């Protein structure tokens, strides 16, 4: 499945298959008015591929799976359910989607875009956890922006 035409030389195409899926998913989420962070740590020992903050404060987590083996070796995904209002898998058109749990969302993606094939059920976060996640999301986004604006701070050990 190709959501947008590809050019033979895309100089900013991420090198890893999961990163390519994440790029397409991020484009989808931004089109839904979500703010997106990749490689976010909601709690010690957990790192999600994408987390998004929607216009009404909803938090979605998306895990990108590039192959059957990638899915089979993921032992942490159920721990992510406690850190979002909706949980999705993102896969490409060749992934055997029947492997994915029916009670999770499904996004079909490529490096250029994505579409929601199955909306994830909503499980609203408790207020205190939502507040903490939103604060952590804001701090992570601000620090990443600062690194882009002043990369020397990173090499100086400030971040």
């Amino acid at each position: 499945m190709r959501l947008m035409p590809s050019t033979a030389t895309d100089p900013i195409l991420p090198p890893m298959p999961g990163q390519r899926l994440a790029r397409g998913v991020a484009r989808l989420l931004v089109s839904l008015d979500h703010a997106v962070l990749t490689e976010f740590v909601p709690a010690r020992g957990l790192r999600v591929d994408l987390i998004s903050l929607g216009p009404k404060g909803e938090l979605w987590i998306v895990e990108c799976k590039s192959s059957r083996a990638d899915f089979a070796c993921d032992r942490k995904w159920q721990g992510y359910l406690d850190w979002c209002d909706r949980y999705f898998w993102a896969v490409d058109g060749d992934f055997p989607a029947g492997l994915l749990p029916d009670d999770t969302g499904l996004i079909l993606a490529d490096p250029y875009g994505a579409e929601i094939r199955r909306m994830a059920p909503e499980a609203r976060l408790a207020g205190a956890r939502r507040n903490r996640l939103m604060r952590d999301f804001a701090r992570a986004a601000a620090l990443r922006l600062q690194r882009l604006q002043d990369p020397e701070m990173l090499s100086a050990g400030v971040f």
Side-chain angles (χ1 to χ4, degrees), residues 19-159:
Q19 293 171 325
R20 292 177 181 173
L21 292 175
R23 184 174 92 160
V25 171
R27 290 177 175 188
L28 166 70
L29 294 172
V30 167
S31 79
L32 298 173
D33 200 20
H34 284 235
V36 180
L37 288 175
T38 58
E39 301 295 324
F40 179 78
V41 177
R44 179 172 280 172
L46 299 177
R47 187 185 75 231
V48 301
D49 292 333
L50 295 108
I51 188 167
S52 73
L53 176 61
K56 296 180 182 177
E58 63 273 27
L59 289 154
W60 293 5
I61 288 177
V62 182
E63 278 299 295
C64 299
K65 294 299 168 197
S66 58
S67 67
R68 177 189 294 260
D70 186 17
F71 173 72
C73 71
D74 187 339
R75 307 223 186 273
K76 293 184 181 179
W77 75 268
Q78 290 180 325
Y80 301 153
L81 300 175
D82 294 335
W83 297 94
C84 60
D85 296 311
R86 295 185 192 269
Y87 181 85
F88 294 86
W89 298 102
V91 299
D92 68 18
D94 295 328
F95 188 92
L99 294 175
L100 303 172
D102 290 333
D103 59 347
T104 58
L106 176 60
I107 296 174
L108 191 60
D110 69 16
Y112 303 96
E115 62 185 43
I116 295 175
R117 286 289 176 97
R118 180 175 64 229
M119 180 55 75
E122 186 176 49
R124 299 287 293 170
L125 289 169
R129 178 158 289 183
R130 177 179 311 285
N131 288 340
R132 179 184 156 218
L133 270 173
M134 290 177 77
R135 183 179 62 245
D136 292 349
F137 186 102
R139 284 185 48 76
L143 287 169
R144 290 178 189 188
L145 180 59
Q146 184 62 38
R147 285 185 197 120
L148 287 173
Q149 293 175 337
D150 191 358
E152 289 179 17
M153 291 183 75
L154 182 61
S155 63
V158 175
F159 294 115

